[in-house]
Amino acid sequence: MTNSTIGVGLIGTGFMGKCHALAWNAVAATFGEARRPRLVHLAEADQSLADSKAREFGFAKASGDWRAVIADPEVDVVSIAAPNPFHAEMACAAFEAGKHVWCEKPMATSRDDARRMLEAQKGSGRVAALGYNYIQNPAIRQMEALIQDGVIGTVNHVRLEMDEDFMADPDAPFVYKNGAASGYGALDDFAVHPLSILWRLAGPVSSVMTDQAKPYASREGRRVETHEIATSLLRLRSGASGLLVANRAAWGRKGRIAVQVFGSAGTIAYDQERMNEFQLFTREGDERTQGFRTVLTAPAHAPYGAFVPAPGHGLGFNDLKVIEAHELLAAIDGRPARIVDFETGFAIEETVHAMARSHDERRWVDCPA
Amino acid sequence: MTNSTIGVGLIGTGFMGKCHALAWNAVAATFGEARRPRLVHLAEADQSLADSKAREFGFAKASGDWRAVIADPEVDVVSIAAPNPFHAEMACAAFEAGKHVWCEKPMATSRDDARRMLEAQKGSGRVAALGYNYIQNPAIRQMEALIQDGVIGTVNHVRLEMDEDFMADPDAPFVYKNGAASGYGALDDFAVHPLSILWRLAGPVSSVMTDQAKPYASREGRRVETHEIATSLLRLRSGASGLLVANRAAWGRKGRIAVQVFGSAGTIAYDQERMNEFQLFTREGDERTQGFRTVLTAPAHAPYGAFVPAPGHGLGFNDLKVIEAHELLAAIDGRPARIVDFETGFAIEETVHAMARSHDERRWVDCPA
Amino acid sequence: MTNSTIGVGLIGTGFMGKCHALAWNAVAATFGEARRPRLVHLAEADQSLADSKAREFGFAKASGDWRAVIADPEVDVVSIAAPNPFHAEMACAAFEAGKHVWCEKPMATSRDDARRMLEAQKGSGRVAALGYNYIQNPAIRQMEALIQDGVIGTVNHVRLEMDEDFMADPDAPFVYKNGAASGYGALDDFAVHPLSILWRLAGPVSSVMTDQAKPYASREGRRVETHEIATSLLRLRSGASGLLVANRAAWGRKGRIAVQVFGSAGTIAYDQERMNEFQLFTREGDERTQGFRTVLTAPAHAPYGAFVPAPGHGLGFNDLKVIEAHELLAAIDGRPARIVDFETGFAIEETVHAMARSHDERRWVDCPA
Amino acid sequence: MTNSTIGVGLIGTGFMGKCHALAWNAVAATFGEARRPRLVHLAEADQSLADSKAREFGFAKASGDWRAVIADPEVDVVSIAAPNPFHAEMACAAFEAGKHVWCEKPMATSRDDARRMLEAQKGSGRVAALGYNYIQNPAIRQMEALIQDGVIGTVNHVRLEMDEDFMADPDAPFVYKNGAASGYGALDDFAVHPLSILWRLAGPVSSVMTDQAKPYASREGRRVETHEIATSLLRLRSGASGLLVANRAAWGRKGRIAVQVFGSAGTIAYDQERMNEFQLFTREGDERTQGFRTVLTAPAHAPYGAFVPAPGHGLGFNDLKVIEAHELLAAIDGRPARIVDFETGFAIEETVHAMARSHDERRWVDCPA
């Protein structure tokens, strides 16, 4: 293994753009990467913001035009953290230019765009990863490993809840996210996250029966077009039954992604608001001492140990992105990697579209196989 | 208010029969009832068991025939804790004999029987209460009061989960509860409990979309006819959206009834496994100190103080039945009472039947108004 | 085993007197006692209150003089729930009259009185039990059994905290409990409870180093004479190290008795505010799934099943007194019983006196062996 | 504010050395520092390890001799993360060379060395910060702000517990940390951490009464010289009473630093194992809805927002070091900074030495003012 480098470009420097930048700065020191990232070129909507962010984030070049990043021959991989409507154009251009792509979720705001991205990637032979960082949590990875090892037996039922409260205030002004142009609402904004976890823990969804609701019909006199709440019955391809609910108007919930997976020999539960622990019940052992155990993440749960050698000391949200970067680098080097590629990402988004159709047609809808 | 007594009859001495007996023994000392119960007459399937249970439970007379209890002129109110298929005949006979009835849930194993019971009660002018003891928890009563006081604003979303694990073991033998004669499965065995709570906190259900699942198709070579898991989308008459799930095969869950009620100004959550506390979030106050508060039940939450004058000391499952007895006595005395009468009980069971039909027909089903 | 009865007398009908009354009403129905209690005679400070409480609690006779209860030949066992300064005289009179005694803790307000009670009991051959009901919790009993079975290895360290907040308000008026006549303060009012648990889980204390503190020096201009906070280092006779803290001024704590017991192979933790569960960690098994398990009490933890046949349904504070009554009846019948007798109770109170002396003398003090 | 840089040297690349490296890599992108760190020079025990770590951590130069780092004119600030016995020599040399120092705790293995470091720093006019990263947690900072704002009134009682289990296994081999050369044991290894938090929340300790214990007297036939458990009574300079316990042999505890601060108007509690939340009780408001609220950290709690703009998403252990680096840079720029300087660090270590003396002499010991 040679000690080469890899050139990084970044488009967008908001919430997730900064998160990518932090990950690119941290991944080599954390994992001792064989390929150390060089922070080559960053783009923002205007040159002045780009300059200032490049300085903060440690990128060598800055442009007010994202095409400059993609055209830069020193850039090998492009982080796309621009607003969702731009993802398709940027990603397709990047693949055409022979770059690898690390794109924030969702892939696109339309199925056609997403499909176009998937095809562009397939034709390019380049690696693509979507920003489903929650699955990188050592807790989630450990839960997945335990399920695969049969520790809770055959999974027969799942429950997924994602809740935040940034849309909970009925007196808040009308914003972009209340308009139809932003998508369905909680369904695409939130549901994709628990679905990405579900995919790892229990596999794909086969059919859905969904209901969407608006807690507040209007804001500032304008009709709210999105649904802040989505509830869905699920049937998984495995036959397991399930529930998913997403709510952007859930007062008091700040970053809740609650997962319960029930099997024939035990149960696993998790809540993203306490991301450094999970709950495990197995039926074995003395009946008098059975109970859900709270497992704190630890070096025993890879790749926790790359961050802290002591157990129970806690990773943070941004650390998950560092793990994602590490996995992406592995994929680029042709090693096995734990990423959500465009194929899986597309399937997740297809599931969300099926949910929206189910709501409209008030019936069970099958998800594309 | 005179210091009279009221004659009590009890039919059935199993799990719930004993629970009734404990309540009848405790209610006067707990609440200082104006009408002190006299434990008059108890019936069991055979005379010898009846004799022994009468001695244990403190009843004066014992019979091997339940009709003797109903015929006893000293009996004013009859506790019916016999197997569900007998409820209808016993209750109707009791009303005909002019007795008040305290009947365990569900009312009956068929809609026709339940309707017959409801009509018999209406014609009799006697009081009827169903054994939905969970709603008597001071925690639940406080949650209801807070919601009615507008503390969490307008309720727009609810989630209800009821989980136990007595059907979780795939290797357990085939039992009565696995056969169709026992009912639908989790739907009628469990779902009625969270529904009784929902009725108090957020009102009746208007339509349901339900899916039932069998984690284990057979036991001991026999086909399992019931569904251990039921998942349901709900729409409430208020317009609120909701979810209900009931699972008798949820490893590790022992007596979980998890309730989440979301409103325009806050959220309330509860879990029956920690029955002496509830969680409350309200949007008011300093943003830096907002959070779900864990409220321990206390004398401030009536009727907790009838049991213990100190806060945070804890009531138990059986105490809820004592409260139920107290409420029943109030109803008999013509005072306002917090009971699930046959009308509400019938509506709850109608909702469950609508859920079963929804499952069969794979469509949304309206609940009778 | 004959089906006889036992005559019960009760002195005092306040918080704990009512608790005794509830227990005497419930114990036969709960446990199917061979000896069914007859509620014979109750005493209160005046006849009218006695009459009214006798009716509520179901006692046949009522007196305004406690000596009438002790003189009553139908009374076999006397519940003493009068104010602490009266315990000694009542208990000694009861033993002299050949009664068994169930006395609320503490035994007495002075060491001499307590010693006199112990000697009176020894001379009488009658049974005496102190009202340390917390140790009757099936959770505590299970913890004790697990420790005795070696599940956490050799105990090497313990921590005990008891906290409530009824003395937390600096603006509250001066009350009896703020005066020296009421005792030391948190030390005798609270510390005896965790000590009673410690005795069961890890054995007696051998030496103490204690500090007492007054959060508020005066109330209503009067000097507060008691200490609301007591902190103590402990060494147990086993050699284990430990800590005990008692605080009557701990805002937000309502009935907290937090116990942590550390051993060479695991740890057990408990909090009375969640009295239906305990936490257990053992070092065995796969490192990836180790964690504290939350064990919900269940029929597997005797005598939980006497109350509810289903796990995780919860006992309450008053149920612990029912168990205590059951154990007392066993002791009276000469069967093995789990009670805090006067000998152990005296040792517990001696430990508290040693703590007070340690505070005064600012040095480690040995407890009498 | 000019956009200059600052040259960084690092000595040591183990657990904490890597943690420093991660912080130096992340701090500019996280906080948009005016002074961007340049990673200049790294030292390890041998050149080959230094080379490899420099590549991983992104340092330009690598040396097998730490003096080369201190002699490097491009280095402005030196991170000292070498074993504790070397701290004094390195720090004094750094100050002499005019460098700022960021030194891991404890300052030194002897009081004389620590005092020498303090004097060297004072004479140099350079900034010194100790690696007490736990106090940088936005949760702790918020707790401190609330206490200073009087939200819980006057602090009258504190409890501090620090527990891990890496010394819990009695069958583990004898290691360096079991020998007297490593220090007292839990007292200096652990107690300094909760003390650093205590200093922020409630101020300095005035006197201590301490007991140390050895759960296992020997390992592999060798006498264990350290004490894995230390328990201590505290009196704070404010007059508040307190308890501190540190235990390296607490099975199941992984990174527990449990803090309880009681005041005249409320209580605050925290556990490092759930580092993204704290508990707050205040006496105000409706009695029916009082309870400990679980506050999740959020952008409202600076500097959380520098990491994630959304609440409840969670920081990790390593993020605390990034905050520490940010504060150090502020101090170097002469701005107000929240660091543990050598003066406070020395006072914390003096408190620990007082504890050890108290144990030896079995008496209360005053801490130097």
Side-chain angles (χ1 to χ4, degrees):
Chain A
M1 192 184 293
T2 61
N3 282 294
S4 55
T5 64
I6 181 166
V8 172
L10 169 64
I11 306 175
T13 65
F15 180 176
M16 292 316 296
K18 178 171 177 175
C19 192
H20 279 243
L22 287 167
W24 286 123
N25 270 286
V27 67
T30 305
F31 285 97
E33 298 294 347
R35 295 237 268 173
R36 187 174 172 83
R38 271 177 304 113
L39 279 54
V40 172
H41 205 148
L42 166 158
E44 247 304 338
D46 69 85
Q47 185 68 43
S48 144
L49 180 58
D51 286 341
S52 126
K53 288 296 169 186
R55 207 164 38 237
E56 280 178 37
F57 295 174
F59 278 74
K61 294 176 249 178
S63 295
D65 178 359
W66 61 267
R67 292 181 190 280
V69 169
I70 282 170
D72 191 326
E74 283 188 273
V75 167
D76 300 306
V77 55
V78 182
S79 277
I80 300 178
N84 302 343
F86 296 97
H87 288 183
E89 191 178 5
M90 290 170 176
C92 291
F95 290 128
E96 201 170 340
K99 315 297 193 194
H100 305 291
V101 168
W102 187 12
C103 183
E104 273 312 298
K105 68 92 214 165
M107 293 174 74
T109 45
S110 77
R111 289 186 65 228
D112 284 353
D113 275 356
R115 189 188 306 275
R116 194 155 57 89
M117 290 166 76
L118 175 57
E119 278 158 16
Q121 185 262 327
K122 277 183 176 163
S124 74
R126 300 288 91 181
V127 169
L130 287 162
Y132 284 104
N133 44 315
Y134 292 119
I135 68 158
Q136 303 297 349
N137 188 337
I140 298 287
R141 291 173 75 151
Q142 186 57 46
M143 289 162 64
E144 181 182 341
L146 293 170
I147 292 169
Q148 277 168 4
D149 291 356
V151 168
I152 63 163
T154 304
V155 171
N156 53 51
H157 182 58
V158 299
R159 292 180 210 161
L160 307 162
E161 301 170 83
M162 181 160 177
D163 297 294
E164 298 190 15
D165 67 0
F166 61 84
M167 288 290 179
D169 187 349
D171 305 321
F174 187 99
V175 293
Y176 171 75
K177 284 207 169 191
N178 300 125
S182 75
Y184 306 121
L187 209 48
D188 40 1
D189 197 19
F190 274 16
V192 292
H193 282 300
L195 285 175
S196 71
I197 294 172
L198 178 63
W199 241 256
R200 303 296 316 193
L201 301 185
V205 174
S206 65
S207 59
V208 295
M209 174 68 230
T210 304
D211 184 32
Q212 295 186 87
K214 294 183 190 183
Y216 316 119
S218 66
R219 289 181 182 277
E220 297 182 312
R222 289 180 63 181
R223 190 171 152 272
V224 170
E225 293 167 327
T226 51
H227 293 87
E228 311 314 340
I229 305 173
T231 50
S232 191
L233 308 180
L234 309 177
R235 280 297 178 128
L236 307 194
R237 207 170 291 164
S238 70
S241 84
L243 279 178
L244 179 145
V245 55
N247 188 350
R248 304 194 298 191
W251 273 119
R253 305 302 187 194
K254 301 302 180 180
R256 189 168 190 248
I257 305 179
V259 176
Q260 298 176 70
V261 181
F262 299 90
S264 57
T267 298
I268 288 187
Y270 170 81
D271 182 349
Q272 177 69 26
E273 284 182 352
R274 287 178 171 166
M275 62 179 275
N276 291 298
E277 64 191 56
F278 65 90
Q279 307 282 324
L280 172 66
F281 181 95
T282 57
R283 66 169 173 171
E284 61 204 10
D286 183 344
E287 192 188 5
R288 300 172 310 155
T289 58
Q290 284 181 343
F292 275 89
R293 64 187 77 179
T294 302
V295 183
L296 296 173
T297 48
H301 311 121
Y304 175 101
F307 294 85
V308 195
H313 279 56
L315 303 194
F317 177 84
N318 287 335
D319 293 328
L320 306 186
K321 211 72 185 176
V322 179
I323 302 175
E324 201 172 68
H326 174 62
E327 295 293 323
L328 172 61
L329 291 175
I332 288 171
D333 279 350
R335 284 176 282 125
R338 195 171 190 282
I339 54 172
V340 175
D341 62 18
F342 276 15
E343 199 145 9
T344 300
F346 187 70
I348 289 171
E349 294 185 24
E350 285 284 72
T351 302
V352 164
H353 296 306
M355 286 176 171
R357 204 159 63 247
S358 166
H359 168 79
D360 290 342
E361 303 178 2
R362 290 177 62 80
R363 62 172 185 86
W364 281 92
V365 168
D366 289 340
C367 303
Chain B
M1 189 185 291
T2 61
N3 282 295
S4 56
T5 63
I6 181 167
V8 172
L10 170 64
I11 305 175
T13 64
F15 180 175
M16 292 317 296
K18 179 171 177 176
C19 191
H20 278 242
L22 287 167
W24 286 123
N25 271 284
V27 68
T30 305
F31 285 96
E33 297 294 347
R35 295 240 266 174
R36 188 175 172 83
R38 273 176 303 111
L39 279 54
V40 173
H41 205 147
L42 166 158
E44 247 303 339
D46 70 85
Q47 185 67 44
S48 141
L49 181 58
D51 286 341
S52 124
K53 288 296 168 185
R55 202 163 42 236
E56 279 178 38
F57 295 173
F59 279 75
K61 294 177 248 179
S63 295
D65 178 359
W66 60 266
R67 293 180 189 280
V69 168
I70 283 170
D72 190 325
E74 284 188 273
V75 167
D76 300 305
V77 55
V78 181
S79 276
I80 300 179
N84 302 344
F86 296 97
H87 287 183
E89 189 177 6
M90 290 170 176
C92 291
F95 291 127
E96 201 169 342
K99 315 298 192 193
H100 305 290
V101 167
W102 187 12
C103 183
E104 272 313 298
K105 68 92 215 168
M107 294 174 74
T109 44
S110 77
R111 289 187 64 229
D112 285 352
D113 275 357
R115 190 188 306 273
R116 194 154 58 89
M117 290 166 77
L118 175 57
E119 279 159 12
Q121 184 260 328
K122 278 183 176 163
S124 74
R126 301 287 92 184
V127 168
L130 286 162
Y132 284 105
N133 44 315
Y134 292 119
I135 68 159
Q136 303 297 349
N137 189 337
I140 298 288
R141 291 172 75 150
Q142 187 56 47
M143 290 161 63
E144 182 182 341
L146 293 170
I147 291 169
Q148 277 168 4
D149 291 356
V151 167
I152 62 163
T154 303
V155 171
N156 53 49
H157 183 57
V158 299
R159 292 181 208 159
L160 307 163
E161 300 170 83
M162 180 160 178
D163 297 294
E164 298 191 14
D165 66 0
F166 63 82
M167 288 289 179
D169 187 349
D171 305 322
F174 188 99
V175 293
Y176 171 74
K177 284 205 169 193
N178 300 124
S182 74
Y184 305 122
L187 209 48
D188 40 2
D189 197 20
F190 274 17
V192 292
H193 281 300
L195 285 174
S196 72
I197 294 172
L198 178 63
W199 241 256
R200 302 298 313 195
L201 301 185
V205 175
S206 66
S207 58
V208 295
M209 174 69 230
T210 304
D211 185 32
Q212 295 186 87
K214 294 183 189 182
Y216 317 118
S218 65
R219 290 181 182 277
E220 296 180 315
R222 288 180 63 181
R223 190 172 151 273
V224 170
E225 293 166 327
T226 51
H227 291 87
E228 311 315 339
I229 305 172
T231 51
S232 191
L233 308 180
L234 309 176
R235 280 297 177 129
L236 307 194
R237 208 169 291 165
S238 70
S241 84
L243 279 179
L244 180 145
V245 54
N247 188 349
R248 305 194 297 193
W251 273 119
R253 304 302 187 194
K254 302 301 180 181
R256 190 168 190 249
I257 305 179
V259 176
Q260 297 176 71
V261 182
F262 299 91
S264 57
T267 298
I268 288 187
Y270 171 81
D271 182 349
Q272 176 69 26
E273 284 182 351
R274 286 177 171 167
M275 62 178 276
N276 291 297
E277 64 192 55
F278 64 91
Q279 307 282 324
L280 172 66
F281 181 95
T282 57
R283 66 169 174 171
E284 61 203 11
D286 182 343
E287 192 188 4
R288 300 172 311 154
T289 58
Q290 284 181 345
F292 275 89
R293 62 187 78 179
T294 302
V295 182
L296 295 173
T297 47
H301 311 122
Y304 175 102
F307 294 85
V308 194
H313 279 57
L315 304 194
F317 177 85
N318 287 335
D319 292 329
L320 306 186
K321 211 73 186 176
V322 179
I323 302 175
E324 201 173 67
H326 174 62
E327 295 294 322
L328 173 62
L329 291 175
I332 288 172
D333 279 350
R335 284 177 283 127
R338 195 173 189 281
I339 55 173
V340 175
D341 62 19
F342 276 14
E343 199 144 10
T344 300
F346 187 69
I348 289 171
E349 295 185 24
E350 286 284 70
T351 302
V352 163
H353 296 307
M355 287 176 171
R357 204 158 64 248
S358 167
H359 168 80
D360 290 342
E361 304 178 2
R362 290 177 61 79
R363 62 172 184 86
W364 281 92
V365 168
D366 289 340
C367 303
Chain C
M1 188 184 295
T2 60
N3 283 294
S4 56
T5 63
I6 180 166
V8 172
L10 170 65
I11 305 175
T13 64
F15 180 176
M16 292 317 296
K18 179 171 177 174
C19 192
H20 278 243
L22 287 167
W24 287 123
N25 271 284
V27 66
T30 304
F31 285 97
E33 297 295 347
R35 295 238 266 172
R36 188 174 172 82
R38 271 177 304 113
L39 279 54
V40 171
H41 205 146
L42 166 158
E44 248 303 340
D46 70 85
Q47 184 68 43
S48 144
L49 180 58
D51 285 341
S52 128
K53 288 297 168 185
R55 204 161 42 235
E56 279 178 38
F57 295 174
F59 278 74
K61 293 176 246 178
S63 296
D65 178 358
W66 60 266
R67 292 178 191 281
V69 168
I70 282 171
D72 190 326
E74 283 188 273
V75 167
D76 301 305
V77 55
V78 181
S79 277
I80 300 178
N84 302 342
F86 296 97
H87 287 183
E89 190 179 7
M90 290 171 176
C92 291
F95 290 129
E96 201 171 341
K99 314 299 191 192
H100 305 290
V101 167
W102 186 13
C103 183
E104 272 312 298
K105 68 92 214 167
M107 292 174 75
T109 44
S110 77
R111 288 186 65 227
D112 284 352
D113 275 355
R115 189 188 307 273
R116 193 155 57 92
M117 290 166 76
L118 175 58
E119 279 158 13
Q121 185 261 327
K122 278 184 175 163
S124 73
R126 300 288 91 184
V127 169
L130 287 162
Y132 284 104
N133 44 314
Y134 293 119
I135 68 158
Q136 303 297 349
N137 188 337
I140 298 289
R141 291 172 75 150
Q142 186 57 47
M143 289 161 64
E144 181 182 341
L146 292 170
I147 291 169
Q148 277 168 4
D149 291 356
V151 168
I152 63 164
T154 303
V155 171
N156 53 50
H157 183 57
V158 299
R159 293 181 208 160
L160 307 162
E161 300 169 83
M162 181 161 178
D163 298 294
E164 299 191 14
D165 66 2
F166 62 84
M167 286 291 178
D169 188 350
D171 305 321
F174 188 99
V175 294
Y176 171 74
K177 285 205 169 193
N178 300 123
S182 74
Y184 304 121
L187 209 48
D188 40 0
D189 198 20
F190 274 16
V192 292
H193 282 300
L195 285 175
S196 72
I197 294 172
L198 178 62
W199 240 256
R200 303 297 315 193
L201 301 186
V205 174
S206 65
S207 59
V208 295
M209 175 67 231
T210 304
D211 184 32
Q212 296 186 87
K214 294 183 190 183
Y216 317 118
S218 66
R219 290 181 182 277
E220 298 182 311
R222 289 179 62 181
R223 190 171 151 275
V224 170
E225 295 166 326
T226 51
H227 293 87
E228 312 312 340
I229 304 173
T231 51
S232 191
L233 307 181
L234 309 176
R235 280 297 177 128
L236 308 194
R237 207 169 293 165
S238 70
S241 84
L243 279 180
L244 179 145
V245 55
N247 188 350
R248 305 194 298 190
W251 274 119
R253 305 302 186 195
K254 302 301 180 181
R256 189 166 190 250
I257 304 179
V259 177
Q260 297 177 69
V261 182
F262 299 90
S264 57
T267 299
I268 287 187
Y270 171 81
D271 182 350
Q272 176 70 25
E273 284 182 352
R274 287 179 171 165
M275 63 178 274
N276 291 297
E277 64 192 55
F278 64 91
Q279 306 282 324
L280 171 66
F281 181 94
T282 57
R283 66 170 175 171
E284 62 205 10
D286 182 344
E287 192 188 4
R288 301 172 310 154
T289 59
Q290 283 181 345
F292 275 89
R293 62 188 77 181
T294 302
V295 182
L296 296 172
T297 47
H301 311 123
Y304 175 102
F307 293 85
V308 194
H313 279 56
L315 304 194
F317 177 85
N318 287 335
D319 293 328
L320 306 186
K321 210 72 185 175
V322 180
I323 301 175
E324 201 173 66
H326 174 63
E327 295 295 323
L328 172 62
L329 291 175
I332 289 172
D333 280 350
R335 283 176 283 126
R338 195 171 189 283
I339 55 173
V340 175
D341 61 19
F342 275 15
E343 199 144 10
T344 301
F346 187 70
I348 290 171
E349 295 185 24
E350 285 283 71
T351 303
V352 164
H353 296 306
M355 287 175 172
R357 205 159 61 247
S358 167
H359 167 80
D360 289 342
E361 304 177 3
R362 289 177 63 78
R363 61 170 185 88
W364 280 94
V365 169
D366 289 339
C367 304
Chain D
M1 191 183 293
T2 61
N3 283 294
S4 56
T5 64
I6 181 167
V8 172
L10 170 65
I11 305 175
T13 64
F15 180 176
M16 291 317 294
K18 178 171 177 175
C19 192
H20 278 243
L22 287 167
W24 286 123
N25 270 285
V27 68
T30 305
F31 285 95
E33 298 295 347
R35 294 239 267 171
R36 187 174 173 83
R38 271 177 305 113
L39 280 54
V40 172
H41 205 147
L42 166 157
E44 248 303 342
D46 70 84
Q47 185 68 43
S48 142
L49 180 57
D51 287 340
S52 124
K53 288 296 168 186
R55 205 164 39 236
E56 279 177 38
F57 296 173
F59 278 75
K61 293 176 248 177
S63 295
D65 178 358
W66 60 267
R67 293 180 189 279
V69 169
I70 283 169
D72 191 326
E74 284 189 272
V75 167
D76 301 305
V77 56
V78 181
S79 277
I80 300 178
N84 302 343
F86 297 96
H87 288 184
E89 190 177 8
M90 290 170 177
C92 292
F95 291 127
E96 200 170 342
K99 315 298 190 192
H100 305 290
V101 167
W102 186 13
C103 183
E104 272 312 298
K105 69 91 213 168
M107 293 174 75
T109 44
S110 77
R111 288 186 65 227
D112 284 352
D113 275 356
R115 190 187 306 271
R116 195 155 56 91
M117 290 166 76
L118 175 57
E119 278 158 15
Q121 185 261 329
K122 279 183 176 163
S124 73
R126 300 288 90 183
V127 169
L130 288 162
Y132 284 104
N133 44 314
Y134 293 119
I135 68 158
Q136 303 297 349
N137 188 338
I140 298 288
R141 291 171 75 150
Q142 187 56 47
M143 290 162 62
E144 181 182 340
L146 293 170
I147 291 168
Q148 277 167 4
D149 291 355
V151 168
I152 64 164
T154 303
V155 171
N156 53 50
H157 183 57
V158 298
R159 293 180 209 161
L160 306 163
E161 301 170 84
M162 180 159 178
D163 299 294
E164 298 192 14
D165 66 1
F166 62 83
M167 286 290 178
D169 187 349
D171 305 321
F174 187 99
V175 293
Y176 172 74
K177 285 205 168 193
N178 301 123
S182 74
Y184 306 120
L187 209 48
D188 40 1
D189 198 18
F190 274 16
V192 290
H193 282 299
L195 285 175
S196 71
I197 295 172
L198 179 63
W199 240 256
R200 303 296 315 192
L201 301 185
V205 174
S206 65
S207 59
V208 295
M209 175 68 231
T210 304
D211 184 32
Q212 295 186 88
K214 294 182 190 183
Y216 317 119
S218 65
R219 290 181 182 277
E220 298 181 312
R222 289 180 63 182
R223 191 172 150 273
V224 171
E225 293 164 328
T226 51
H227 292 88
E228 311 314 338
I229 305 174
T231 51
S232 190
L233 307 181
L234 309 177
R235 279 296 176 129
L236 307 193
R237 207 168 292 164
S238 70
S241 84
L243 279 179
L244 180 145
V245 54
N247 188 349
R248 306 194 297 191
W251 273 119
R253 304 302 187 194
K254 302 301 181 181
R256 189 167 191 250
I257 305 178
V259 177
Q260 298 176 72
V261 182
F262 299 91
S264 58
T267 298
I268 288 188
Y270 171 81
D271 182 349
Q272 176 69 24
E273 284 183 352
R274 287 177 171 167
M275 62 179 275
N276 291 297
E277 64 192 54
F278 65 90
Q279 306 281 324
L280 172 66
F281 180 95
T282 57
R283 66 170 175 170
E284 61 204 9
D286 182 344
E287 191 188 5
R288 300 172 309 154
T289 59
Q290 283 181 343
F292 275 90
R293 62 188 76 181
T294 302
V295 182
L296 296 173
T297 47
H301 311 122
Y304 174 102
F307 294 85
V308 195
H313 279 56
L315 303 194
F317 177 85
N318 287 335
D319 292 329
L320 306 186
K321 211 73 186 175
V322 180
I323 302 174
E324 201 172 66
H326 174 63
E327 296 294 323
L328 172 61
L329 291 175
I332 288 171
D333 280 351
R335 284 176 282 127
R338 193 172 193 281
I339 54 172
V340 176
D341 61 19
F342 276 15
E343 199 145 8
T344 300
F346 187 70
I348 289 172
E349 295 185 24
E350 286 284 72
T351 303
V352 163
H353 295 306
M355 287 176 171
R357 205 160 61 247
S358 166
H359 167 80
D360 290 343
E361 304 178 2
R362 290 177 62 80
R363 62 172 185 87
W364 282 92
V365 169
D366 289 340
C367 304

